[in-house]
């Protein structure tokens, strides 16, 4: 199997699997209890929290564990709006993950004004537009650090400078950037930042929200006193242990994943561009998480390419896994100006820690033939400009 869908989810690192399975066998205590088997689990959660905090350059008390990256995103936006009842405007980018976009749609139905910052053809937000969009009613700006479909990295430091000058809180969805580029919260200047374990070789169903000390935010979930009363419910202990270990492994590996992924992705990109006619690369050439490659195969239906690759054991995506099966085309590809028929021909290949040279060689052997065959049978013609 050649797995090239690491932006949808990553395989669990063996060290993480081992740590979680040992934990499950040895620890069942509730961390809220006062006797040793509970205290011990509480301590292990604290270690995981410290690990996450260190990776973000944050303090331990600034990390709240959540049930997913999606929950962290919901928490950030809805929690800040709850804390500022006199404000009713939120600014987001047009290319956010559904975890943010759909939260925004929900809030619009509740009367909140959402402003969507447009992006250029590379997927970079227009900062000037952002400056003009801010009003005294703006409660929060939420702009993702790196896009999951095309990989484009946003100028979060600049966003924070603009926001700070106006006294507005900034959240960034760093689910796709964490582990790939620098996410130091103080360097970025953000007040809130979301991460998810299963995008960094950890388990599914656990994430975290960084909340800068002193930030005015209300919980999303009410109940017991867990997570300093910011997220009620008995902790997903094994998940949190897994997230902590995944972060430890990230830190231990340093630049190794990044270098390897970058090299293999560059080889794959060049191979596709040199050997397949009528392809169009989507996203930013440089300012991108380098393992994300999104290509239009002009004249084809992406789904046909995906299925043909799957028969060869090569797994890719037609865009965002969250919009798979949806009728309309990706909002990200529309936002960068692709016509629907071009957007429908786009394939995302996202590399990760466990990809090898052989993986790339196999794709470069199979993909040109698949595209040629499909184009022969489709006979579909398409206008090639942009
Ligand atoms: C995957 C992803 C999410 C959602 O995280 P889950 O843990 O799967 O809920 C949010 N934002 C981005 C950019 C993502 O890639």
């Amino acid at each position: 199997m050649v797995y090239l869908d690491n932006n949808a989810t990553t395989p669990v690192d063996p060290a993480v699997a081992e740590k979680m399975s040992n934990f499950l066998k040895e620890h069942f205590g509730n961390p809220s209890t006062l006797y040793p088997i509970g205290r011990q689990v509480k301590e292990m959660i604290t270690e995981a929290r410290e690990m996450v905090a260190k990776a973000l350059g944050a303090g331990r008390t600034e990390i709240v564990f959540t049930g997913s990256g999606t929950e962290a995103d919901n928490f950030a936006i809805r929690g800040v709006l709850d804390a500022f009842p006199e404000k009713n405007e939120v600014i987001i980018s047009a290319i956010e993950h559904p975890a943010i976009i759909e939260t925004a749609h929900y809030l619009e139905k509740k009367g909140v004004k959402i402003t969507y910052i447009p992006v250029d053809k590379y997927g970079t937000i227009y900062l000037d537009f952002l400056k003009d969009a801010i009003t005294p009613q703006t409660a929060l700006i939420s702009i993702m650090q790196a896009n999951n479909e095309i990989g484009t990295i946003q100028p979060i430091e600049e966003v924070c400078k603009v926001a700070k000058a106006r006294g507005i809180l900034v959240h960034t969805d760093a689910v796709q950037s964490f582990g790939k580029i620098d996410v130091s919260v103080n360097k970025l200047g953000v007040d809130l930042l979301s991460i998810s374990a299963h995008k960094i070789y950890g388990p599914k169903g656990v994430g975290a929200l960084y909340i800068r000390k002193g930030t005015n935010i209300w919980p999303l979930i009410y109940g017991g006193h867990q997570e300093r009363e910011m997220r009620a419910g008995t902790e997903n202990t094994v998940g949190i242990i897994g997230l902590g270990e995944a972060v430890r492994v990230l830190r231990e590996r340093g630049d190794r994943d990044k270098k390897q992924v970058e090299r293999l992705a560059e080889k794959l990109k060049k191979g596709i561009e040199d050997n397949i006619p009528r392809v169009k690369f989507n996203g930013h050439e440089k300012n991108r998480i380098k393992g994300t490659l999104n290509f239009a195969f002009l004249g084809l239906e992406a789904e046909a390419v995906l299925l043909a690759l799957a028969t060869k054991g090569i797994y890719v995506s037609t865009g965002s896994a969250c919009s798979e099966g949806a009728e309309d085309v990706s909002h990200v590809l529309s936002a960068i100006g692709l016509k629907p028929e071009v957007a429908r021909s786009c394939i995302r290949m996202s590399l990760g820690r466990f990809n090898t040279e052989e993986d790339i060689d196999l794709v470069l052997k199979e993909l040109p033939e698949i595209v040629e065959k499909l184009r022969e049978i489709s006979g579909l013609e398409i206008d090639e400009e942009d």
Side-chain angles (χ1 to χ4, degrees):
M1 171 178 85
V2 176
Y3 184 71
L4 292 180
D5 202 9
N6 287 274
N7 286 14
T9 195
T10 52
V12 174
D13 190 278
V16 174
E18 166 109 18
K19 180 112 182 177
M20 290 177 73
S21 100
N22 288 339
F23 176 86
L24 274 177
K25 286 178 216 154
E26 290 160 20
H27 302 277
F28 74 91
N30 184 328
S32 295
T33 55
L34 294 175
Y35 38 80
I37 59 164
R39 302 305 302 174
Q40 209 180 348
V41 173
K42 177 121 187 160
E43 267 166 40
M44 295 175 82
I45 289 180
T46 300
E47 275 167 35
R49 198 186 309 280
E50 259 161 13
M51 197 58 77
V52 172
K54 249 190 227 160
L56 301 178
R60 191 209 312 157
T61 59
E62 296 176 306
I63 305 300
V64 176
F65 290 118
T66 63
S68 60
T70 299
E71 185 189 317
D73 284 347
N74 270 262
F75 180 10
I77 299 189
R78 295 164 69 180
V80 166
L81 271 174
D82 280 352
F84 292 89
E86 73 285 5
K87 297 188 176 185
N88 69 340
E89 296 184 15
V90 174
I91 298 173
I92 68 172
S93 85
I95 62 166
E96 294 299 309
H97 186 273
I100 295 286
I101 293 269
E102 293 304 323
T103 301
H105 290 168
Y106 155 78
L107 290 167
E108 277 177 328
K109 284 185 207 146
K110 305 264 292 177
V112 176
K113 185 186 166 208
I114 308 287
T115 306
Y116 300 85
I117 306 298
V119 296
D120 64 18
K121 64 178 173 178
Y122 306 109
T124 310
I125 58 159
Y126 288 109
L127 270 174
D128 286 342
F129 198 106
L130 174 72
K131 285 175 193 159
D132 293 342
I134 295 171
T135 81
Q137 295 308 307
T138 307
L140 179 72
I141 299 172
S142 177
I143 309 277
M144 69 201 319
Q145 193 180 14
N147 183 266
N148 46 301
E149 292 189 43
I150 56 177
T152 306
I153 298 168
Q154 302 299 340
I156 299 300
E157 285 173 56
E158 275 71 48
V159 169
C160 288
K161 277 182 198 138
V162 170
K164 288 308 107 166
R166 308 285 292 269
I168 295 163
L169 295 175
V170 177
H171 166 253
T172 193
D173 174 338
V175 171
Q176 210 54 252
S177 48
F178 185 39
K180 299 176 182 134
I181 57 172
D182 189 5
V183 293
S184 312
V185 289
N186 290 328
K187 211 165 151 205
L188 293 172
V190 294
D191 303 290
L192 301 138
L193 180 145
S194 306
I195 63 164
S196 175
H198 78 99
K199 303 287 175 77
I200 57 160
Y201 314 95
K204 287 151 190 65
V206 59
L209 182 66
Y210 157 78
I211 305 175
R212 184 175 294 279
K213 200 171 179 214
T215 301
N216 204 0
I217 183 168
W218 284 18
L220 186 64
I221 293 171
Y222 293 88
H225 302 296
Q226 294 90 356
E227 298 295 297
R228 311 174 119 240
E229 311 209 337
M230 287 312 288
R231 203 278 191 177
T234 301
E235 297 86 343
N236 172 10
T237 53
V238 69
I240 292 169
I241 299 310
L243 170 54
E245 180 66 5
V247 173
R248 191 195 64 73
V249 174
L250 267 188
R251 287 165 61 79
E252 182 184 81
R253 292 178 74 93
D255 266 356
R256 273 161 61 201
D257 291 348
K258 192 179 160 217
K259 283 194 179 134
Q260 158 104 339
V261 163
E262 229 173 283
R263 190 177 62 78
L264 293 179
E266 200 42 52
K267 173 173 171 170
L268 178 56
K269 181 170 184 290
K270 190 166 183 317
I272 289 173
E273 286 171 340
D274 290 351
N275 297 303
I276 304 180
R278 298 173 67 217
V279 294
K280 181 190 177 307
F281 178 75
N282 299 312
H284 203 289
E285 285 285 347
K286 285 210 192 92
N287 212 4
R288 185 179 93 247
I289 45 171
K290 297 294 195 311
T292 302
L293 299 175
N294 191 310
F295 278 104
F297 295 91
L298 299 173
L300 293 181
E301 288 289 341
E303 215 152 286
V305 179
L306 180 149
L307 293 174
L309 281 170
T311 65
K312 307 285 183 186
I314 300 166
Y315 302 136
V316 301
S317 159
T318 56
S320 169
C322 310
S323 63
E324 214 93 66
E327 280 282 85
D328 44 357
V329 302
S330 147
H331 66 289
V332 176
L333 300 176
S334 302
I336 61 170
L338 299 193
K339 294 175 192 160
E341 65 270 28
V342 175
R344 273 193 284 271
S345 76
C346 291
I347 290 283
R348 177 187 73 187
M349 286 161 272
S350 49
L351 284 70
R353 177 180 297 168
F354 300 111
N355 286 121
T356 62
E357 198 86 36
E358 292 74 52
D359 288 353
I360 304 309
D361 291 339
L362 186 73
V363 177
L364 289 176
K365 175 175 168 283
E366 300 292 350
L367 187 57
E369 282 173 32
I370 286 172
V371 170
E372 194 184 327
K373 267 196 203 131
L374 287 173
R375 277 190 177 139
E376 259 168 36
I377 48 179
S378 81
L380 207 87
E381 277 311 317
I382 197 165
D383 175 359
E384 246 172 90
E385 329 147 33
D386 66 40

